Amino acid sequence: MAAIAAQPYDYPLPTTPTVALILIDMQRDFLEPGGFGDALGNDVARLQAIVPTVKRLLEAFRQQSLPIFQTTESHRPDLADCPPSKLLRGNASLKIGDPGPMGRILIEGEPGNAIIAELAPLPGETVITKPGKGAFYNTNLEFLLKTHDITHLILGGVTTEVCVQTTMREANDRGYECLLVEDATESYFPDFKQATLEMVRAQGGIVGWTATTDQVIAGLQAMAV
Ligand code: TIU
């Protein structure tokens, strides 16, 4: 059986291609100046550095015609799906829904809410808009995964300890075999990223596995033969 060399031990791949890529929130709001991440006081340059690696991972899934899901953190223009706790938290200079240089912050359909051009989804690749941090909360992701008989999730995107980790934990509790790609995820806080990688794979993989993009691609290629 094919496997991805991973920590804390090898991640077994299924014999049938029931493995999907989940890329979390690689949207301008988090990666470019003037978006939500910037408004929260973060340095977005850290996140831009992983784009070529994420692109390589995405292309590997495309080459093998494996299912690809991307998410965006997005709210309705009327903010009906944004609880006041989320809207008002942090006293940010720009709040969700405020006009910024890329349109209204974190609002569906605004230029800043788009996935960055380098990773723009192709026809047939699914984009899930999510109002929360986790991709399962108030979305149809679980329904779509079940429809495609997907059992294994390879996760990347931003930010590691917020939306990526929340999604991985949600998926783990739902029975998915989850692997977080170490160099295809990033945080505004390097220590938080490192801690997340360590905590998900601690205790025998309590939340799942971690591996590098190279290791994932090698495993997928072995699965294909
Ligand atoms: N602030 C932060 O680190 N992240 C978020 O608000 N959303 C996501 O992680 N996508």
Side-chain angles (χ1 to χ4, degrees), residues 157-165 180 185-187 193 196-197:
V158 300
T159 63
T160 315
E161 79 283 8
V162 184
C163 292
V164 177
Q165 181 173 207
L180 175 54
T185 183
E186 193 50 88
S187 168
K193 172 181 174 174
T196 302
L197 295 176

Side-chain angles (χ1 to χ4, degrees), residues 29-183:
D29 276 317
F30 292 109
L31 284 114
E32 295 185 16
F36 187 56
D38 187 14
L40 293 173
N42 300 301
D43 172 14
V44 295
R46 287 192 52 77
L47 273 47
Q48 287 168 9
I50 65 164
V51 171
T53 307
V54 177
K55 172 101 180 161
R56 213 154 51 80
L57 183 65
L58 180 62
E59 292 297 345
F61 274 76
R62 283 175 175 163
Q63 269 167 22
Q64 290 188 225
S65 301
L66 291 169
I68 294 164
F69 296 82
Q70 295 212 49
T71 69
T72 60
E73 187 171 341
S74 307
H75 291 281
R76 292 164 39 135
D78 64 3
L79 295 178
D81 56 358
C82 185
S85 60
K86 182 174 184 183
L87 186 61
L88 302 173
R89 185 84 48 81
N91 238 348
S93 53
L94 282 175
K95 293 200 308 298
I96 297 168
D98 285 350
M102 295 188 289
R104 293 179 67 201
I105 300 276
L106 230 56
I107 299 296
E108 201 172 332
E110 296 288 334
N113 209 230
I115 291 168
I116 58 167
E118 296 93 322
L119 306 174
L122 297 178
E125 297 174 6
T126 308
V127 179
I128 306 273
T129 57
K130 61 181 182 58
K133 302 307 183 193
F136 288 83
Y137 173 67
N138 260 336
T139 71
N140 61 4
L141 177 60
E142 189 168 16
F143 173 73
L144 294 177
L145 295 176
K146 280 192 164 51
T147 304
H148 289 86
D149 294 324
I150 288 160
T151 54
H152 288 58
L153 302 180
I154 307 293
L155 293 111
V158 300
T159 63
T160 315
E161 79 283 8
V162 184
C163 292
V164 177
Q165 181 173 207
T166 302
T167 300
M168 188 168 178
R169 289 179 181 276
E170 287 180 328
N172 185 51
D173 278 351
R174 285 166 172 78
Y176 293 97
E177 303 283 15
C178 297
L179 183 147
L180 175 54
V181 188
E182 296 161 15
D183 48 355

